[in-house]
Amino acid sequence: MSIDQSKHVAPVSAARRRDVIDAIRRGAVPESGLDLLATGLDRFETALDAELTAVASGSSVFKAIRGEYGSGKTFFTRWLGERAKRRNFAVAEIQISETETPLHKLETVYRRLTERLATSGFPPSALRPVVDAWFYALEEDALAGGASDEDLSEEVDRLLNARLTEVSRHAPSFAAALRGYRTAQESGDEGTAAAVMAWLGGQPHVAASARRVAGVRGDLDHFGAFGFVQGLLTVLRDSGHAGLFLVLDEVETLQRVRSDARDKALNALRQLIDEVHSGRFPGLYLVITGTPAFYDGRQGAQRLAPLAQRLATDFTTDPRFDNPRAVQLRLPGFTQESLVSLGLAIRDLYAPGSAAPDRVLTVADDAYVAELAKAVGGALGGKVGVAPRLFLKKLVGDVLDRIDQFEDFDPRAHYALTMHPSEMSAVERNAAALNPDEVELELP
């Protein structure tokens, strides 16, 4: 059997192939290369690309992604983030967590944003390269406007003030910190420059001496975070980026926090949505992800009526006719057919990088991939929707790797599917439970 890449994937570099396969082998969602695996997402492309275009033109968009555990929410947002990055957006993905990133403390959300900020040219954290590029752009604009070397610094200050006029009304300390960073840079004081940049990124406990140089006080608080997001969007736009694609992942965790913290977090989310829709954040594409229980349950969005109204979307119709332009998108989850299709895509991606590509395609033929998908789904109580992660992990690590390395390995004869509880997530263990006593319950 010869390799036919055109069936599922276009030719890809060895590095991209390796990154994707290595992540799947670990049971993780790849950080990049997701376009190689995006089966069934084409119906969203036109509407989402139009929204990215609008954001790049100065609009802002809020989107809520809805799906059960295992339906591919993280995959979907990273796939969309890749599309945004190819359009020169900066991207950041934040996991909402009661202890690490509580949503009701927006100063912490902003700090995580700057820590995870990435661009097509720089991995996280790309905050400092972005700011450096912004100052370089200001210098170029000043020179283009006729500034001489002698008055360049003064002209850059004038441009800085002009570009941050709107931001300074809400967060004057953001502009002050930028000036302080530039002053430290020009004087060769790297320690102070790094400290001021840390403060600009929302880091707490920055040395008082550095804050004095920048002319700022204290740490960023909840109310100043919105202004800092505005400032970051301004810097991104003026340094050549189309905007910011920001994901707040796993907001359903809000259902499990104390009621007072939950109410504050839900209100913070409502406020954030309103600010996006008001036009305060031009260049921002904001995405949240959550389970249906979060959007529809009494411990989630329905607990705050104004938030529920903003997220309301009609899902009573046939999923085939879901509106991709709606505020909330429903991910359909995996069927047996789509699970097999994804497995075939992975196999066809794996084969060209193998030492024995023909053997991989022959031994792990379409029929065997379908058999393995059915077996994994069956071991999880027939719940195909939670099967993709384990199925792909088993396919790559237990089957394809062995076919590649051992000439006489035949998975039909030499491999029996095993799934140990230690390699499963809580959702997967619950799906595999044989009786109710084995189901793990999360109690407040």
Side-chain angles (χ1 to χ4, degrees):
M1 185 177 189
S2 61
I3 302 172
D4 180 12
Q5 285 186 319
S6 64
K7 184 175 181 181
H8 291 290
V9 294
V12 297
S13 70
R16 289 188 79 205
R17 180 185 299 110
R18 182 175 59 252
D19 289 346
V20 171
I21 296 299
D22 284 350
I24 292 172
R25 188 181 288 116
R26 299 191 307 271
V29 176
E31 293 289 341
S32 61
L34 298 180
D35 55 308
L36 306 173
L37 315 177
T39 58
L41 298 183
D42 51 326
R43 67 193 185 98
F44 296 112
E45 289 181 358
T46 300
L48 297 178
D49 284 349
E51 290 177 347
L52 288 171
T53 298
V55 172
S57 299
S59 297
S60 53
V61 166
F62 169 79
K63 213 75 170 179
I65 308 302
R66 169 196 188 100
E68 296 287 359
Y69 289 106
S71 62
K73 297 187 295 296
T74 298
F75 180 96
F76 182 89
T77 55
R78 289 184 182 172
W79 167 77
L80 183 53
E82 278 197 352
R83 299 180 76 84
K85 195 178 287 188
R86 286 199 295 270
R87 291 167 172 258
N88 204 27
F89 278 72
V91 301
E93 176 185 318
I94 302 171
Q95 302 293 320
I96 297 302
S97 159
E98 180 182 10
T99 56
E100 296 295 322
T101 315
L103 186 55
H104 66 284
K105 294 185 177 180
L106 291 177
E107 68 274 23
T108 304
V109 174
Y110 172 80
R111 182 164 74 247
R112 297 287 179 258
L113 158 59
T114 61
E115 290 171 351
R116 290 158 173 73
L117 187 69
T119 68
S120 57
F122 295 97
S125 165
L127 177 61
R128 187 164 183 173
V130 165
V131 170
D132 288 342
W134 184 65
F135 278 116
Y136 178 78
L138 291 182
E139 290 179 359
E140 290 294 298
D141 289 348
L143 292 171
S148 64
D149 291 342
E150 290 76 19
D151 58 9
L152 179 61
S153 180
E154 182 179 338
E155 184 61 18
V156 168
D157 280 341
R158 189 191 66 78
L159 288 175
L160 185 152
N161 291 332
R163 303 281 170 86
L164 293 177
T165 297
E166 182 65 23
V167 176
S168 294
R169 292 218 304 263
H170 303 282
S173 56
F174 187 90
L178 285 172
R179 294 188 193 94
Y181 171 73
R182 180 164 170 265
T183 298
Q185 282 280 78
E186 289 184 332
S187 64
D189 187 351
E190 172 57 27
T192 298
V196 173
M197 182 55 60
W199 190 89
L200 195 61
Q203 297 295 331
H205 314 307
V206 172
S209 58
R211 285 187 273 118
R212 279 196 298 271
V213 169
V216 296
R217 297 179 180 178
D219 296 328
L220 178 65
D221 60 18
H222 176 92
F223 301 102
F226 280 159
F228 272 46
V229 172
Q230 280 183 280
L232 178 59
L233 289 168
T234 299
V235 168
L236 284 168
R237 182 190 64 232
D238 289 349
S239 59
H241 294 281
L244 171 64
F245 179 84
L246 174 61
V247 178
L248 304 181
D249 202 11
E250 299 183 359
V251 295
E252 69 269 6
T253 58
L254 298 181
Q255 300 170 101
R256 300 192 289 272
V257 304
R258 296 189 326 271
S259 60
D260 58 336
R262 183 189 314 143
D263 291 343
K264 291 177 183 177
L266 292 172
N267 190 59
L269 181 57
R270 190 274 311 162
Q271 185 182 7
L272 188 54
I273 294 171
D274 286 350
E275 295 288 4
V276 170
H277 289 158
S278 74
R280 181 175 180 179
F281 301 126
L284 177 63
Y285 195 120
L286 175 64
V287 177
I288 67 170
T289 73
T291 59
F294 168 75
Y295 295 112
D296 302 336
R298 290 181 299 173
Q299 300 305 314
Q302 298 302 316
R303 188 179 176 92
L304 182 64
L307 176 61
Q309 292 166 6
R310 286 154 178 76
L311 295 172
T313 305
D314 179 17
F315 290 122
T316 61
T317 56
D318 188 318
R320 292 180 302 160
F321 305 118
D322 282 358
N323 180 12
R325 298 172 181 169
V327 67
Q328 197 179 145
L329 293 186
R330 171 171 56 179
L331 298 186
F334 280 88
T335 63
Q336 189 65 29
E337 181 182 8
S338 61
L339 191 63
V340 172
S341 178
L342 180 57
L344 295 177
I346 294 298
R347 181 205 60 189
D348 291 353
L349 177 66
Y350 185 103
S354 165
D358 287 344
R359 188 167 72 241
V360 167
L361 293 170
T362 300
V363 178
D365 57 16
D366 292 10
Y368 177 77
V369 173
E371 290 170 14
L372 182 63
K374 184 177 181 180
V376 174
L380 294 175
K383 298 175 182 176
V384 178
V386 301
R389 188 190 74 87
L390 273 177
F391 165 59
L392 296 180
K393 185 174 185 288
K394 296 293 183 181
L395 176 62
V396 171
D398 290 357
V399 176
L400 298 182
D401 279 347
R402 286 171 170 154
I403 295 172
D404 183 28
Q405 297 175 85
F406 305 105
E407 291 186 16
D408 57 345
F409 177 76
D410 180 352
R412 290 182 170 91
H414 304 129
Y415 174 68
L417 176 66
T418 59
M419 294 198 296
H420 194 275
S422 64
E423 66 179 329
M424 298 183 189
S425 67
V427 174
E428 292 162 345
R429 286 193 293 272
N430 288 342
L434 298 177
N435 62 69
D437 292 336
E438 296 178 5
V439 175
E440 300 176 17
L441 300 178
E442 285 201 37
L443 300 177

